[in-house]
Amino acid sequence: MESAIFVQNLHKTFRNGSSLKAVDGVSFEVAPGEIFSLLGPNGAGKTTTISMLSALLKPDNGATGANDIRIMGRSLITEPLAAKAMIGVVPQDIALYQDLSALENLIFWAKMYGLKGTLLKTRVAEVLDLIGLTDRANDRISKYSGGMKRRVNIGVALLHQPKVIYMDEPTVGIDPQSRRSILDGVIALKNQGMTVLYTTHYMEEAQELSDRIAIMDHGKIIANDSHENLIRLVGQKTRISLSINTEPETMIEPWKACKGVSTIAIEESKINLLVDDSNKVLPRLFETAAAKDVRITSVEIQEPNLETVFLHLTGRALRDA
Amino acid sequence: MLSILNIALKDLTQIVRDWKSFLFLLIMPIAFTFLFGIAFSGNSAKEQDLRLPVGIINHDNQSPLSQELEKSVSASKVIKLKSGEEEALINQVTQKNLTAALIIPAGYGESLKSATPLQLSLWVDGVSNDGLSAQTEINVQASRLFSAVQTAKVLAPEGGPAFDHVLMNALQEWKNPPVALSQEDASLKNADLQPVSEVDNNFTHSSPGMILQFAIAGLMSCAQVVVSERKNHCLQRLMTTSASRVQILLGHYLSLVLMIFAQFILLIIFGSLVLKLTYFSQPLATLLITLSASLGIAALGLLIGVAAKSEEQAIGVSMIFMFLFAGLGGAWVPLEFTGKTFQAIGHFTPLAWAMDGFKNILSRGLGLESAWLPAAALLGYAIVFFSLANWKFKTQ
């Protein structure tokens, strides 16, 4: 079966005084009807990747054959109009005209996506119903809450019933209720057969939604698999998070030397460790701390998850990366 | 094409929804047209009587010669006569309500035929300029009458109808002097202009001047729409649709052109109906200048919108262009009043060409042939500004 999204060897370097390699050889494929998440900390290169996939940024190498972006078999580099017609983009920021109403925004964007006549009216009405704003369709966007704006922002991308939809961190800065509504909406899109490319730095979202997850760091995809398979990468390792009554750096070397500790990192004021068996390792950690006259003030044990995977792969916590 | 129209209609909706648009596009230009029109009306004596008020008491009003003196003084361009009681008129001179009071004594007319004519009595402030002017004018008119009487006495010493005939001829000759001075504008002579009726309207300069100035001021609202689109990330979203960069740019340009063109048309109709200006005496020429000026100014607005980093910057830059172009381009003070160097510098601005185009129609009564050069210059500006905007848009 042909991939809904085919990405091969993308590179992007920003030259603004100094040179910053934002995307470094990214390749992946997304099957039709799949939810595929790009997970990584801020600055990992997710938005730059999605910008290239939306034709907003041109990949560095151009259409040399060495790199390519194909949407439903159409090359975004050589057939941009045909490829763009297949995608709906939900940008990270609210991309709506604040002084127009939701209805006026939807009509404008529907026309820009090539809809007209009865189809345009029908789709606008359907999308308003889908995002639950039919009653407030005539209110200006500037009067909406953050969550309502997010819903219209998503609705715009659905107007032309694209085969593929990109959602770039759509839940940033909104209340839990709106967040839940958006996540449910993403699952509903998948159930309708739509392919979703979702970027986030919230591992819970990636874990809940995704069929497959690509973990990005420093412009590279460092792992790409289903949630279950990614967890297997860390084996039976458990994540232990400890607080101590002195500077965290004090215990880094002593604990690193303990048997069963594979990775150790400081996140904010906490020390995160990946260990083989927490039942066996924890007593050793306490003994070592006592020998150094350091008191452990809190202990948190976490079963393997994507956070653990990122720690395992990069030696850093996802949130402080 | 549909994308271009769609973007243009969206922009127009946003512009019309902003109350500042109406202020700068319609209200301000009308107010300033009146303001500048009234300021320039100081050059027109038509609406103001600047003659010096002089009181007159004619104690010899049965005499044809005294009547003739009163008539000639009354017809003067310097003096405006007011009649009244002698004491009251003298009081008014004292109170400076009148410049002078002239008293023609009884028997004055008949005395002119004698060797020792009676003296006129004149109450006047001999120190003031106005008083001296009135005194001089009355002396001139009295001397002319006396000279005419003396001439008639020489040519018709027998008196009777012959005397009256010669007297009238002599007085008439004062109105047709053998030598007269006239002033002619060399620039108009060299331009080989057709004789046209002089259009005497205070708004022939201020109306096109303010239309053009506030067309640029109106760019504030228009350019803000382009800037806010970029700041609201809508431009990025537009780039993900099938619209190309050039189509997006053309969409914004079309909205600017339509907005400015509509502004021009409304203010031209206002100028024609209310200010009685002759915009529609040459409708094709007016249309050509209006269209080319709209294209040039809209391209400037597009460049400002694309290049400005913020809405505040767009407003600031629009204001700078407005003052610079209006001042140099002759929207405030006619370039004809300035030196050649200033005129040459002024014609580096599109406003000077647009002013030339409109004033050729309004002030000089010229036709379509006079509009081609200004229109070509304005289209040149449109191409330059649009090309710069396109280049800037591509590099963003």
Side-chain angles (χ1 to χ4, degrees), chain B residues 194-225:
Chain B
Q194 295 170 352
V196 293
S197 59
E198 187 188 353
V199 182
D200 194 1
N201 190 320
N202 296 329
F203 302 106
T204 49
H205 181 82
S206 66
S207 171
M210 291 305 108
I211 289 176
L212 289 165
Q213 173 179 324
F214 282 96
I216 297 180
L219 294 181
M220 281 190 291
S221 304
C222 306
Q224 277 184 82
V225 169

Short mmCIF file of all heavy atoms in Angstrom, two decimals, chain B residues 194-225:
data_model
loop_
_atom_site.label_atom_id
_atom_site.label_comp_id
_atom_site.label_asym_id
_atom_site.label_seq_id
_atom_site.Cartn_x
_atom_site.Cartn_y
_atom_site.Cartn_z
N GLN B 194 -4.47 76.48 -25.32
CA GLN B 194 -5.67 77.00 -25.97
C GLN B 194 -6.31 78.01 -25.02
O GLN B 194 -6.22 77.85 -23.81
CB GLN B 194 -6.66 75.86 -26.20
CG GLN B 194 -6.14 74.83 -27.17
CD GLN B 194 -7.04 73.62 -27.19
OE1 GLN B 194 -7.94 73.49 -26.40
NE2 GLN B 194 -6.74 72.75 -28.13
N PRO B 195 -6.93 79.05 -25.58
CA PRO B 195 -7.59 79.98 -24.68
C PRO B 195 -8.73 79.28 -23.94
O PRO B 195 -9.54 78.61 -24.55
CB PRO B 195 -8.12 81.06 -25.62
CG PRO B 195 -8.16 80.42 -26.96
CD PRO B 195 -7.10 79.39 -26.98
N VAL B 196 -8.71 79.37 -22.63
CA VAL B 196 -9.75 78.70 -21.85
C VAL B 196 -10.35 79.70 -20.88
O VAL B 196 -9.73 80.68 -20.52
CB VAL B 196 -9.17 77.52 -21.04
CG1 VAL B 196 -8.70 76.44 -21.96
CG2 VAL B 196 -8.05 77.98 -20.12
N SER B 197 -11.54 79.39 -20.51
CA SER B 197 -12.16 80.26 -19.52
C SER B 197 -11.49 80.00 -18.17
O SER B 197 -11.27 78.86 -17.78
CB SER B 197 -13.65 79.95 -19.43
OG SER B 197 -13.82 78.60 -19.07
N GLU B 198 -11.17 81.04 -17.47
CA GLU B 198 -10.48 80.89 -16.20
C GLU B 198 -11.41 80.25 -15.17
O GLU B 198 -12.54 80.66 -15.01
CB GLU B 198 -10.04 82.26 -15.70
CG GLU B 198 -9.17 82.19 -14.47
CD GLU B 198 -8.91 83.57 -13.90
OE1 GLU B 198 -9.29 84.54 -14.54
OE2 GLU B 198 -8.33 83.63 -12.81
N VAL B 199 -10.92 79.21 -14.55
CA VAL B 199 -11.72 78.55 -13.54
C VAL B 199 -11.40 79.18 -12.20
O VAL B 199 -10.33 79.02 -11.67
CB VAL B 199 -11.40 77.04 -13.52
CG1 VAL B 199 -12.29 76.35 -12.49
CG2 VAL B 199 -11.58 76.44 -14.89
N ASP B 200 -12.32 79.93 -11.71
CA ASP B 200 -12.06 80.69 -10.49
C ASP B 200 -12.73 79.96 -9.33
O ASP B 200 -13.86 80.21 -8.99
CB ASP B 200 -12.61 82.10 -10.65
CG ASP B 200 -12.07 83.01 -9.57
OD1 ASP B 200 -11.28 82.56 -8.74
OD2 ASP B 200 -12.46 84.16 -9.57
N ASN B 201 -12.01 78.95 -8.75
CA ASN B 201 -12.55 78.18 -7.64
C ASN B 201 -11.44 77.94 -6.64
O ASN B 201 -10.36 77.48 -6.99
CB ASN B 201 -13.09 76.84 -8.17
CG ASN B 201 -13.89 76.11 -7.12
OD1 ASN B 201 -13.52 76.09 -5.95
ND2 ASN B 201 -14.99 75.51 -7.55
N ASN B 202 -11.72 78.26 -5.39
CA ASN B 202 -10.70 78.13 -4.36
C ASN B 202 -10.28 76.69 -4.13
O ASN B 202 -9.25 76.43 -3.52
CB ASN B 202 -11.23 78.70 -3.04
CG ASN B 202 -11.49 80.18 -3.14
OD1 ASN B 202 -10.81 80.88 -3.89
ND2 ASN B 202 -12.49 80.65 -2.42
N PHE B 203 -11.07 75.73 -4.57
CA PHE B 203 -10.81 74.33 -4.26
C PHE B 203 -10.12 73.58 -5.39
O PHE B 203 -9.92 72.38 -5.30
CB PHE B 203 -12.13 73.63 -3.89
CG PHE B 203 -12.83 74.28 -2.73
CD1 PHE B 203 -13.96 75.05 -2.92
CD2 PHE B 203 -12.33 74.16 -1.45
CE1 PHE B 203 -14.59 75.67 -1.85
CE2 PHE B 203 -12.95 74.77 -0.36
CZ PHE B 203 -14.09 75.53 -0.58
N THR B 204 -9.78 74.28 -6.47
CA THR B 204 -9.14 73.59 -7.60
C THR B 204 -7.79 73.00 -7.21
O THR B 204 -7.33 72.05 -7.82
CB THR B 204 -8.93 74.53 -8.80
OG1 THR B 204 -8.32 75.72 -8.32
CG2 THR B 204 -10.21 74.83 -9.52
N HIS B 205 -7.18 73.57 -6.20
CA HIS B 205 -5.92 72.99 -5.73
C HIS B 205 -6.13 72.09 -4.51
O HIS B 205 -5.61 70.97 -4.45
CB HIS B 205 -4.92 74.09 -5.36
CG HIS B 205 -3.62 73.53 -4.90
ND1 HIS B 205 -2.64 73.12 -5.78
CD2 HIS B 205 -3.15 73.23 -3.67
CE1 HIS B 205 -1.63 72.61 -5.10
NE2 HIS B 205 -1.91 72.68 -3.82
N SER B 206 -6.92 72.58 -3.56
CA SER B 206 -7.04 71.82 -2.31
C SER B 206 -7.77 70.51 -2.50
O SER B 206 -7.45 69.52 -1.83
CB SER B 206 -7.74 72.66 -1.23
OG SER B 206 -9.08 72.91 -1.58
N SER B 207 -8.72 70.44 -3.42
CA SER B 207 -9.46 69.19 -3.58
C SER B 207 -8.56 68.05 -4.06
O SER B 207 -8.45 67.03 -3.36
CB SER B 207 -10.64 69.40 -4.53
OG SER B 207 -11.23 68.17 -4.85
N PRO B 208 -7.87 68.18 -5.21
CA PRO B 208 -6.98 67.07 -5.59
C PRO B 208 -5.84 66.86 -4.60
O PRO B 208 -5.42 65.72 -4.37
CB PRO B 208 -6.45 67.49 -6.97
CG PRO B 208 -6.66 68.95 -7.06
CD PRO B 208 -7.86 69.25 -6.22
N GLY B 209 -5.36 67.95 -4.02
CA GLY B 209 -4.25 67.83 -3.06
C GLY B 209 -4.63 66.97 -1.87
O GLY B 209 -3.90 66.07 -1.47
N MET B 210 -5.81 67.24 -1.32
CA MET B 210 -6.23 66.49 -0.13
C MET B 210 -6.68 65.07 -0.49
O MET B 210 -6.49 64.13 0.28
CB MET B 210 -7.34 67.23 0.60
CG MET B 210 -6.87 68.52 1.24
SD MET B 210 -5.45 68.28 2.37
CE MET B 210 -4.13 69.01 1.41
N ILE B 211 -7.25 64.91 -1.68
CA ILE B 211 -7.61 63.54 -2.12
C ILE B 211 -6.35 62.69 -2.15
O ILE B 211 -6.31 61.57 -1.64
CB ILE B 211 -8.27 63.57 -3.52
CG1 ILE B 211 -9.67 64.17 -3.45
CG2 ILE B 211 -8.34 62.16 -4.09
CD1 ILE B 211 -10.34 64.32 -4.80
N LEU B 212 -5.30 63.23 -2.73
CA LEU B 212 -4.05 62.46 -2.89
C LEU B 212 -3.37 62.26 -1.54
O LEU B 212 -2.89 61.17 -1.23
CB LEU B 212 -3.12 63.17 -3.87
CG LEU B 212 -3.60 63.13 -5.32
CD1 LEU B 212 -2.86 64.14 -6.17
CD2 LEU B 212 -3.40 61.73 -5.90
N GLN B 213 -3.33 63.31 -0.73
CA GLN B 213 -2.67 63.18 0.57
C GLN B 213 -3.36 62.11 1.41
O GLN B 213 -2.71 61.24 1.99
CB GLN B 213 -2.72 64.51 1.32
CG GLN B 213 -2.20 64.36 2.75
CD GLN B 213 -2.20 65.66 3.52
OE1 GLN B 213 -1.95 66.72 2.95
NE2 GLN B 213 -2.46 65.60 4.80
N PHE B 214 -4.69 62.14 1.43
CA PHE B 214 -5.39 61.19 2.30
C PHE B 214 -5.55 59.81 1.65
O PHE B 214 -5.93 58.86 2.33
CB PHE B 214 -6.71 61.77 2.78
CG PHE B 214 -6.47 62.76 3.89
CD1 PHE B 214 -6.39 64.12 3.61
CD2 PHE B 214 -6.24 62.33 5.18
CE1 PHE B 214 -6.12 65.03 4.62
CE2 PHE B 214 -5.97 63.23 6.19
CZ PHE B 214 -5.90 64.59 5.92
N ALA B 215 -5.26 59.71 0.37
CA ALA B 215 -5.17 58.37 -0.23
C ALA B 215 -3.98 57.66 0.40
O ALA B 215 -4.03 56.47 0.72
CB ALA B 215 -5.01 58.47 -1.73
N ILE B 216 -2.89 58.41 0.61
CA ILE B 216 -1.71 57.81 1.26
C ILE B 216 -2.00 57.57 2.74
O ILE B 216 -1.64 56.53 3.29
CB ILE B 216 -0.47 58.71 1.07
CG1 ILE B 216 -0.14 58.83 -0.41
CG2 ILE B 216 0.73 58.12 1.81
CD1 ILE B 216 1.06 59.68 -0.72
N ALA B 217 -2.70 58.52 3.38
CA ALA B 217 -3.04 58.33 4.80
C ALA B 217 -3.90 57.08 4.97
O ALA B 217 -3.75 56.34 5.94
CB ALA B 217 -3.77 59.55 5.33
N GLY B 218 -4.77 56.86 3.99
CA GLY B 218 -5.64 55.68 4.05
C GLY B 218 -4.88 54.37 3.97
O GLY B 218 -5.40 53.32 4.33
N LEU B 219 -3.63 54.45 3.51
CA LEU B 219 -2.81 53.23 3.42
C LEU B 219 -2.56 52.65 4.81
O LEU B 219 -2.24 51.47 4.93
CB LEU B 219 -1.46 53.54 2.76
CG LEU B 219 -1.51 53.95 1.30
CD1 LEU B 219 -0.11 54.20 0.79
CD2 LEU B 219 -2.19 52.88 0.47
N MET B 220 -2.68 53.49 5.85
CA MET B 220 -2.45 53.00 7.21
C MET B 220 -3.32 51.79 7.49
O MET B 220 -2.83 50.75 7.93
CB MET B 220 -2.77 54.10 8.21
CG MET B 220 -1.68 55.12 8.34
SD MET B 220 -1.95 56.22 9.72
CE MET B 220 -3.34 57.14 9.20
N SER B 221 -4.63 51.95 7.23
CA SER B 221 -5.55 50.85 7.51
C SER B 221 -5.26 49.67 6.59
O SER B 221 -5.25 48.52 7.03
CB SER B 221 -6.99 51.30 7.27
OG SER B 221 -7.28 52.41 8.05
N CYS B 222 -4.99 49.98 5.32
CA CYS B 222 -4.78 48.91 4.34
C CYS B 222 -3.51 48.13 4.65
O CYS B 222 -3.51 46.89 4.64
CB CYS B 222 -4.71 49.50 2.94
SG CYS B 222 -6.12 50.52 2.52
N ALA B 223 -2.43 48.86 4.94
CA ALA B 223 -1.16 48.18 5.21
C ALA B 223 -1.24 47.36 6.49
O ALA B 223 -0.64 46.30 6.60
CB ALA B 223 -0.04 49.22 5.31
N GLN B 224 -2.03 47.86 7.45
CA GLN B 224 -2.19 47.11 8.71
C GLN B 224 -2.81 45.74 8.47
O GLN B 224 -2.47 44.78 9.15
CB GLN B 224 -3.09 47.90 9.65
CG GLN B 224 -2.35 48.97 10.41
CD GLN B 224 -3.28 49.66 11.40
OE1 GLN B 224 -3.51 49.17 12.47
NE2 GLN B 224 -3.82 50.78 11.01
N VAL B 225 -3.72 45.66 7.51
CA VAL B 225 -4.36 44.38 7.20
C VAL B 225 -3.30 43.37 6.75
O VAL B 225 -3.30 42.22 7.18
CB VAL B 225 -5.44 44.57 6.11
CG1 VAL B 225 -5.92 43.25 5.58
CG2 VAL B 225 -6.61 45.37 6.67
#
